[in-house]
Coordinates of all heavy atoms in Angstrom, one line a residue:
A1 N 11.5 8.3 1.2 CA 12.4 9.4 0.8 C 11.8 10.7 1.2 O 12.6 11.6 1.6 CB 12.7 9.3 -0.7
T2 N 10.5 10.9 0.9 CA 9.9 12.2 1.2 C 10.0 12.5 2.7 O 10.3 13.6 3.1 CB 8.4 12.2 0.8 OG1 8.3 11.9 -0.6 CG2 7.7 13.5 1.1
A3 N 9.7 11.5 3.6 CA 9.7 11.7 5.0 C 11.1 12.0 5.5 O 11.3 12.9 6.3 CB 9.2 10.4 5.7
A4 N 12.1 11.4 4.9 CA 13.5 11.6 5.3 C 13.9 13.1 4.9 O 14.6 13.8 5.6 CB 14.4 10.6 4.6
L5 N 13.5 13.5 3.7 CA 13.9 14.8 3.2 C 13.2 15.9 4.1 O 13.9 16.8 4.5 CB 13.4 15.0 1.8 CG 14.2 14.2 0.7 CD1 13.5 14.2 -0.6 CD2 15.6 14.8 0.5
L6 N 12.0 15.7 4.5 CA 11.3 16.6 5.3 C 11.9 16.6 6.7 O 11.7 17.6 7.5 CB 9.8 16.3 5.4 CG 9.0 16.6 4.1 CD1 7.6 16.0 4.2 CD2 9.0 18.1 3.8
S7 N 12.6 15.6 7.1 CA 13.2 15.5 8.4 C 14.6 16.1 8.4 O 15.3 16.1 9.4 CB 13.3 14.0 8.9 OG 12.0 13.5 9.1
G8 N 15.0 16.5 7.2 CA 16.4 17.2 7.1 C 17.5 16.3 6.7 O 18.7 16.6 6.7
L9 N 17.2 15.0 6.2 CA 18.2 14.1 5.8 C 18.4 14.2 4.3 O 17.4 14.0 3.5 CB 17.9 12.7 6.2 CG 17.9 12.3 7.7 CD1 17.3 10.9 7.9 CD2 19.3 12.5 8.2
P10 N 19.6 14.3 3.8 CA 19.8 14.2 2.3 C 19.6 12.7 1.9 O 19.9 11.8 2.7 CB 21.3 14.5 2.1 CG 21.9 14.5 3.5 CD 20.9 14.7 4.5
V11 N 19.0 12.5 0.8 CA 18.6 11.1 0.3 C 19.3 10.8 -1.0 O 19.3 11.6 -1.9 CB 17.1 11.0 0.2 CG1 16.7 9.7 -0.4 CG2 16.5 11.2 1.6
V12 N 19.8 9.6 -1.1 CA 20.3 9.0 -2.4 C 19.2 8.0 -2.8 O 19.0 7.0 -2.1 CB 21.6 8.3 -2.2 CG1 22.0 7.7 -3.6 CG2 22.7 9.3 -1.8
M13 N 18.5 8.2 -3.9 CA 17.5 7.3 -4.4 C 18.1 6.5 -5.5 O 18.5 7.0 -6.5 CB 16.3 8.1 -5.0 CG 15.3 7.3 -5.7 SD 14.5 6.0 -4.8 CE 13.6 6.9 -3.6
L14 N 18.2 5.2 -5.3 CA 18.8 4.2 -6.2 C 17.7 3.5 -7.0 O 16.8 2.9 -6.4 CB 19.6 3.2 -5.5 CG 20.4 2.3 -6.4 CD1 21.6 3.0 -7.1 CD2 21.0 1.1 -5.5
E15 N 17.8 3.5 -8.3 CA 16.8 2.8 -9.1 C 17.6 2.0 -10.2 O 18.8 2.1 -10.3 CB 15.8 3.7 -9.8 CG 14.5 3.8 -9.1 CD 13.7 2.5 -9.2 OE1 14.2 1.5 -9.8 OE2 12.5 2.5 -8.7
M16 N 16.8 1.1 -10.9 CA 17.5 0.3 -11.9 C 18.0 1.0 -13.1 O 19.0 0.7 -13.7 CB 16.5 -0.8 -12.3 CG 16.1 -1.7 -11.2 SD 17.2 -3.0 -10.9 CE 17.1 -4.1 -12.3
T17 N 17.2 2.0 -13.6 CA 17.5 2.8 -14.8 C 17.3 4.3 -14.5 O 16.6 4.7 -13.6 CB 16.6 2.3 -15.9 OG1 15.2 2.7 -15.6 CG2 16.6 0.8 -16.2
P18 N 18.0 5.1 -15.4 CA 17.8 6.5 -15.3 C 16.3 6.9 -15.4 O 15.8 7.8 -14.7 CB 18.6 7.1 -16.4 CG 19.7 6.1 -16.7 CD 19.0 4.8 -16.4
E19 N 15.6 6.2 -16.2 CA 14.1 6.6 -16.4 C 13.4 6.2 -15.1 O 12.5 7.0 -14.7 CB 13.6 5.7 -17.6 CG 14.1 6.1 -19.0 CD 15.5 5.5 -19.2 OE1 15.9 4.5 -18.4 OE2 16.2 6.0 -20.1
A20 N 13.7 5.1 -14.5 CA 13.0 4.7 -13.3 C 13.3 5.7 -12.2 O 12.5 6.1 -11.3 CB 13.3 3.3 -12.9
A21 N 14.6 6.2 -12.2 CA 15.0 7.2 -11.2 C 14.2 8.5 -11.3 O 13.8 9.1 -10.3 CB 16.5 7.4 -11.3
E22 N 14.1 8.9 -12.6 CA 13.3 10.1 -12.8 C 11.9 10.0 -12.4 O 11.2 10.9 -11.9 CB 13.4 10.5 -14.3 CG 14.7 11.1 -14.7 CD 15.0 12.4 -14.0 OE1 14.1 13.2 -13.6 OE2 16.2 12.8 -13.8
D23 N 11.3 8.8 -12.7 CA 9.9 8.5 -12.2 C 9.8 8.6 -10.7 O 8.8 9.2 -10.2 CB 9.5 7.1 -12.7 CG 9.2 7.1 -14.2 OD1 9.1 8.2 -14.8 OD2 9.2 6.0 -14.7
A24 N 10.8 8.1 -10.0 CA 10.9 8.2 -8.5 C 10.9 9.6 -8.1 O 10.2 10.0 -7.1 CB 12.0 7.4 -8.0
K25 N 11.7 10.4 -8.8 CA 11.8 11.8 -8.4 C 10.5 12.5 -8.6 O 10.1 13.4 -7.8 CB 12.9 12.5 -9.3 CG 13.1 14.0 -8.9 CD 14.2 14.7 -9.7 CE 14.3 16.1 -9.3 NZ 15.4 16.8 -10.1
G26 N 9.8 12.1 -9.6 CA 8.4 12.7 -9.9 C 7.5 12.4 -8.8 O 6.7 13.3 -8.3
R27 N 7.5 11.2 -8.2 CA 6.7 10.8 -7.1 C 7.0 11.6 -5.8 O 6.2 12.1 -5.1 CB 6.8 9.3 -6.8 CG 6.3 8.4 -7.9 CD 6.3 6.9 -7.5 NE 6.0 6.1 -8.7 CZ 7.0 5.6 -9.4 NH1 8.3 5.7 -9.1 NH2 6.7 4.9 -10.5
I28 N 8.3 11.7 -5.6 CA 8.8 12.5 -4.4 C 8.4 14.0 -4.6 O 7.9 14.6 -3.6 CB 10.3 12.4 -4.3 CG1 10.7 10.9 -3.9 CG2 10.8 13.3 -3.1 CD1 12.2 10.6 -4.1
S29 N 8.6 14.5 -5.7 CA 8.2 15.9 -6.0 C 6.7 16.1 -5.8 O 6.2 17.1 -5.2 CB 8.6 16.3 -7.4 OG 10.0 16.3 -7.6
G30 N 5.9 15.1 -6.2 CA 4.5 15.2 -6.0 C 4.1 15.2 -4.6 O 3.2 16.0 -4.1
N31 N 4.8 14.4 -3.8 CA 4.5 14.3 -2.3 C 4.9 15.7 -1.7 O 4.1 16.2 -0.9 CB 5.4 13.3 -1.7 CG 4.9 11.9 -2.0 OD1 3.8 11.7 -2.5 ND2 5.8 10.9 -1.9
L32 N 6.0 16.2 -2.1 CA 6.5 17.5 -1.5 C 5.6 18.7 -2.0 O 5.5 19.7 -1.3 CB 7.9 17.8 -1.9 CG 8.9 16.8 -1.2 CD1 10.3 17.0 -1.8 CD2 9.0 17.0 0.3
Q33 N 5.0 18.5 -3.2 CA 4.2 19.6 -3.7 C 2.9 19.7 -2.8 O 2.5 20.8 -2.6 CB 3.7 19.2 -5.2 CG 3.0 20.3 -5.9 CD 4.0 21.3 -6.4 OE1 5.1 20.9 -7.0 NE2 3.7 22.6 -6.3
G34 N 2.5 18.6 -2.3 CA 1.4 18.7 -1.3 C 1.7 19.5 -0.1 O 1.0 20.3 0.4

């Protein structure tokens, strides 16, 4: 998802639960923070 976002593609991240989705967002944000 990070690579796609940096390439200019909008991304839909699908997870099992809202909590898991937020955790995924945290990982993506951490990558982008770098």
Side-chain angles (χ1 to χ4, degrees):
T2 303
L5 289 166
L6 288 171
S7 298
L9 292 174
V11 173
V12 176
M13 170 57 70
L14 185 73
E15 262 291 1
M16 297 279 291
T17 65
E19 293 78 17
E22 286 296 333
D23 288 343
K25 182 178 181 179
R27 295 185 192 96
I28 295 167
S29 296
N31 292 340
L32 292 171
Q33 193 76 43

